[in-house]
Amino acid sequence: MTEWTILGAGALGCVIAGQLHQTGERVGFMLSERHRGHFHPNLDLITLSGRHQLIQSQPRFPEHARKVECLLVFTKAYHVLEALQELQHLPKSTPVILFNNGMGLSEQVKALLPDNPLLVGVCSHGAMKEQDWLVRHTGKGDTWLGPLNEAGKAWQHLIKPLAKALNHCEWSDDIALHQRRKLAVNAVINPLTAQYNISNGQLAEPRFKEAVEQLSDEVYQVISNLDASSAESREDFRRRLAQVIELTAANHSSMQQDVTHGRKSEIDYITGYILQHAEGIPVPVNQQLYDEIKNREMHKTKLAAQN
């Protein structure tokens, strides 16, 4: 393979692109129509050490899809299907790796791309977009790769270059387990930080103790009920949640950023997923946060339409 193609030039997509480039891999960005005709600058990556590195990447557009060798999808969850539908000439042999937040898209992507090798990537690297084409790598993390369909199982060899670039990448035949564990953490951190307009680290303050405990208990019960055989203990989940809050203390969650800037959030694929799979488990805090954030989104949309 001579080039990785990144679909979704957000914070994490840009950081992964930068990490791949630093290990000698070629990277291209699949861009939307709004970028056509505009100057495509080099990506400015601020590394963990604080150094600026200019990353050269090739701009790609949907008509170039037939040349894509491996597609890494980092778009917002609600844009994934629309973005993939635009790539009408994507070869059926091209592996597609979904790195989007939340859960609930798997069956729809399988139906859309029934012949492509489909995989899921779960990545906990910290990333923050400071402005267009300027991103900061804010923390190391683990990366897991696993198959979404039978054809995806033949692409386990992709973990080698990804591990070289990201310091860690392992294969998991049960990638849904890692998706659920990441979702559980996001379902606590994202809606609370969005609702209260705070950084991740502020959730460790005493004033949020009760909210964090109530929400984490609800989320834990729902996630554990999905697959009791592989569920972690409540104590292990709380420790993992506290560790993520500590390690990403200075970060602002993607949902907090979206709500603050009046953009649509991924609440439907995070908290919405918890609500859809509660199956009789009481989740009043999840429901309240979902309703409040959806109401704020609707209010922003109405204001934008009036202007």
Side-chain angles (χ1 to χ4, degrees):
M1 189 172 67
T2 60
E3 184 175 281
W4 303 77
T5 302
I6 308 291
L7 177 60
L12 185 58
C14 287
V15 164
I16 299 301
Q19 296 291 100
L20 284 166
H21 185 273
Q22 289 181 56
T23 56
E25 302 285 338
R26 289 186 62 211
V27 179
F29 279 100
M30 182 63 68
L31 302 174
S32 61
E33 285 299 315
R34 67 186 179 89
H35 290 104
R36 194 184 293 273
H38 290 85
F39 173 66
H40 178 70
N42 290 330
L43 169 65
D44 188 356
L45 173 67
I46 306 174
T47 66
L48 290 173
S49 64
R51 292 191 300 115
H52 285 255
Q53 290 194 350
L54 286 179
I55 308 297
Q56 292 182 333
S57 64
Q58 297 297 320
R60 305 287 183 229
F61 292 93
E63 65 266 25
H64 302 129
R66 59 174 53 88
K67 295 183 179 179
V68 172
E69 298 171 272
C70 182
L71 186 69
L72 280 61
V73 182
F74 290 93
T75 61
K76 295 288 188 180
Y78 50 80
H79 278 152
V80 168
L81 294 175
E82 179 186 0
L84 290 175
Q85 285 170 345
E86 292 182 1
L87 306 183
Q88 299 176 9
H89 303 296
L90 187 71
K92 293 180 179 180
S93 59
T94 297
V96 177
I97 309 177
L98 303 176
F99 276 96
N100 56 279
N101 279 330
M103 295 181 69
L105 280 170
S106 297
E107 295 308 314
Q108 292 167 287
V109 174
K110 285 181 183 179
L112 180 64
L113 302 173
D115 301 313
N116 286 78
L118 301 176
L119 302 96
V120 170
V122 178
C123 182
S124 59
H125 277 260
M128 184 168 62
K129 192 170 187 177
E130 301 201 342
Q131 60 188 56
D132 285 345
W133 306 110
L134 173 62
V135 296
R136 182 183 296 274
H137 190 188
T138 58
K140 290 182 181 179
D142 295 331
T143 303
W144 292 86
L145 202 65
L148 188 55
N149 62 3
E150 192 64 28
K153 295 179 180 179
W155 291 83
Q156 186 170 347
H157 59 278
L158 291 179
I159 65 173
K160 186 174 181 180
L162 287 171
K164 182 180 179 183
L166 304 176
N167 297 312
H168 172 275
C169 185
E170 292 186 50
W171 182 263
S172 174
D173 288 318
D174 185 10
I175 194 64
L177 169 67
H178 300 281
Q179 284 184 289
R180 289 192 297 269
R181 290 188 173 178
K182 180 178 180 179
L183 175 73
V185 169
N186 285 348
V188 177
I189 293 176
N190 285 30
L192 284 176
T193 55
Q195 176 63 18
Y196 294 106
N197 193 25
I198 57 174
S199 66
N200 293 0
Q202 288 176 272
L203 288 175
E205 296 176 5
R207 60 186 172 130
F208 296 112
K209 184 175 186 294
E210 184 177 357
V212 170
E213 287 182 352
Q214 290 179 352
L215 185 57
S216 60
D217 279 347
E218 290 181 12
V219 168
Y220 173 78
Q221 291 180 60
V222 174
I223 294 296
S224 298
N225 192 52
L226 290 174
D227 186 3
S229 63
S230 62
E232 61 188 335
S233 70
R234 189 186 304 266
E235 291 71 26
D236 284 344
F237 171 57
R238 284 182 170 174
R239 278 194 292 269
R240 190 163 60 84
L241 173 63
Q243 183 181 41
V244 173
I245 290 173
E246 180 182 357
L247 291 174
T248 64
N251 289 14
H252 288 83
S253 73
S254 58
M255 192 177 295
Q256 184 275 338
Q257 289 285 291
D258 288 337
V259 171
T260 298
H261 292 96
R263 300 188 295 257
K264 184 177 180 180
S265 76
E266 294 173 297
I267 190 79
D268 287 317
Y269 298 89
I270 299 176
T271 305
Y273 188 87
I274 297 295
L275 296 176
Q276 290 168 13
H277 293 82
E279 296 182 355
I281 297 171
V283 285
V285 180
N286 277 277
Q287 188 67 63
Q288 181 183 356
L289 286 167
Y290 179 86
D291 291 342
E292 290 182 358
I293 289 174
K294 291 295 286 186
N295 285 336
R296 290 171 69 177
E297 287 182 1
M298 290 175 60
H299 180 65
K300 291 280 188 180
T301 301
K302 288 180 180 178
L303 287 179
Q306 291 172 1
N307 295 331

